[in-house]
Amino acid sequence: MTDQASTLLVLGGSTDQLFMIRTAKEMGLRTACLDGNPAAPGLAAAHISAPIDFSDLPAVFQWVNRQDEIFAGVSTMGSDVPHLLAAIGAHYGWSVPTAETGRLATDKLAMKECFTANGVPVPRFCAVESAADVRHSWLQWGCPRVIIKPIDRAGSRGVLLLDESQDIEKAVAHATSQGMSGRLILEEFVSGPQISTETVISQGQARTPGFADRVYEGMESFHPQIMENGGWLPALCQGQELEKQVVSLVEQAAAALGVKEGAAKGDVVVCPERGPMMIEMAARLSGGDFSEGLVPLSTGVNYVRTIIEIAMGWQPDWPALQPRKNRVVANRYFFPCAGTLEEVDLPDDFVSQDEVIKVVLNYQPGDVIPEIRSHGDRAGVMVVVGNSRGQVQGLVDQGYEKIRFKIDGRWVTGKPRQ
Ligand SMILES: Nc1ncnc2c1ncn2[C@@H]1O[C@H](COP(=O)(O)OP(=O)(O)O)[C@@H](O)[C@H]1O
Ligand SMILES: [Mg+2]
């Protein structure tokens, strides 16, 4: 580390990037933040900032060149923009994903083709354009359910699970309307436990400090939409052979995408017959609670710091990725029914407990809660910790029971399937 080049440029200043800005400051770095929204909190949190849309590359270059700071790198978290990191980093010679990694990681079809070409197991998949294409491949695969998605969206937007009862024409129209390009991918639905991972890669080495079980309890109520309602750390398979298999799978997947310096966030399904398979991988850090809250709470490891070290072109502190504690952590999302939110009951005897780390609600009284169709619509989250899954499940149950929403005159909870 040198004193000369000590400024990190952070793309985005929403709540998703605040933790990165905070962590960089704790590391003694100068921070710069760009966000097109002048009210983004990261703009005030960073040492220097500007309300610039960071996809406007000429504006970014002009602003960076005008500063007195000596920048050493660029990074982000929660924002799926590896192609922009690639373009900005390539311009200044910083440590970033390549443009090709950015392309593969943001196109679900190109990604799956790349995985297949590199021997990384994935569910059966193909490009589809019409209901006839869907019927043809579904029949060929002979599986009970398939899943259709836009190739270029995230957060479950436009992702639909199809069984015999679904109207295929409608599903194709919906997935097409939710995508950017309108291109679609069809996949065999592999049923089995799902795991979220986060891998840190640099100088030919990889570590996977982010590892959690995904929870889909009660999510049948959103069918044919498919969304998890939270996660568990540590995952049930940790310490077992399956953990090693999943780690090896995601590290192989990151290598296939060409991630050489930075983060890779994996969605894995464990097929009971064929073993772990890649659903997808993003070339970035998670937003939300995973890297900023759940993993540090469970293991004491902050790998956002490691990603910053890599972005700055430093040697990563690998030993810092060794877990220092082992607590059980759960996050659960709130999905109340649609309607006008009139009141929220957030009882103090729940939120004041030491084990209740946070409760964040996304709607205020007066807001209209829409029919929830993707993670962008969910009504909030709680994060709780404890020493066993039993204890933490008890807290989750309490939270779902006690936190209530008055919607169109009726009190309901945010627990899926009520
Ligand atoms: N082939 C599949 N088999 C089983 N579940 C899947 C499959 N594809 C997607 N899913 C489920 O749908 C969710 C969203 O799909 P994903 O491809 O991860 O898109 P997104 O970019 O919206 O996260 C996944 O987290 C997983 O739960
Ligand atoms: Mg996903």
Side-chain angles (χ1 to χ4, degrees), residues 7 9 64 70-74 85-86 88-97 311:
T7 305
L9 174 61
V64 168
I70 305 176
F71 289 86
V74 60
L85 288 180
I88 296 169
H91 187 84
Y92 292 107
W94 296 335
S95 165
V96 285

Side-chain angles (χ1 to χ4, degrees), residues 32 125 140 218 260 273 278 390:
F125 70 95
Q140 214 174 35
K260 293 203 170 67
E273 292 83 34
M278 284 313 298

Side-chain angles (χ1 to χ4, degrees), residues 345-389:
D345 186 15
L346 201 58
D348 207 42
D349 66 341
F350 177 70
V351 287
S352 65
Q353 299 176 90
D354 289 345
E355 294 82 4
V356 177
I357 303 298
K358 80 174 201 184
V359 176
V360 173
L361 301 178
N362 301 337
Y363 296 99
Q364 311 298 322
D367 289 349
V368 176
I369 301 181
E371 205 59 68
I372 291 173
R373 304 199 69 156
S374 73
H375 280 299
D377 301 328
R378 69 191 182 213
V381 65
M382 60 181 153
V383 175
V384 294
V385 302
N387 295 322
S388 68
R389 276 211 179 189

Side-chain angles (χ1 to χ4, degrees), residues 108 149 153-156 214 228 265-267 279-281:
K108 293 186 199 299
K149 3 178 158 162
R153 287 314 291 257
S156 299
R214 288 175 164 232
E228 77 272 19
K265 174 182 161 308
D267 291 353
I279 291 181
E280 67 167 350
M281 178 164 269

Side-chain angles (χ1 to χ4, degrees), residues 51-197:
I52 290 174
D53 174 350
F54 55 77
S55 63
D56 180 354
L57 293 178
V60 172
F61 298 146
Q62 201 182 51
W63 183 81
V64 168
N65 295 344
R66 272 208 324 262
Q67 307 308 309
D68 288 335
E69 310 276 324
I70 305 176
F71 289 86
V74 60
S75 194
T76 189
M77 59 188 289
S79 182
D80 203 15
V81 290
H83 55 296
L84 297 178
L85 288 180
I88 296 169
H91 187 84
Y92 292 107
W94 296 335
S95 165
V96 285
T98 63
E100 178 60 1
T101 297
R103 184 185 75 82
L104 293 171
T106 52
D107 174 336
K108 293 186 199 299
L109 188 62
M111 184 192 311
K112 285 250 169 31
E113 282 164 353
C114 165
F115 286 157
T116 306
N118 286 279
V120 177
V122 293
R124 276 175 277 211
F125 70 95
C126 67
V128 288
E129 289 182 2
S130 64
D133 290 350
V134 171
R135 284 195 193 90
H136 176 80
S137 297
W138 194 351
L139 198 66
Q140 214 174 35
W141 295 340
C143 55
R145 291 179 289 178
V146 290
I147 190 155
I148 189 165
K149 3 178 158 162
I151 62 156
D152 45 16
R153 287 314 291 257
S156 299
R157 204 162 278 119
V159 177
L160 294 175
L161 176 62
L162 303 181
D163 57 23
E164 305 286 295
S165 68
Q166 300 299 310
D167 179 330
I168 300 177
E169 268 80 10
K170 263 199 194 151
V172 168
H174 175 73
T176 308
S177 73
Q178 296 296 302
M180 314 282 256
S181 63
R183 292 174 59 216
L184 305 177
I185 180 169
L186 184 77
E187 293 178 25
E188 152 201 30
F189 178 80
V190 174
S191 94
Q194 296 197 16
I195 292 172
S196 289
T197 60

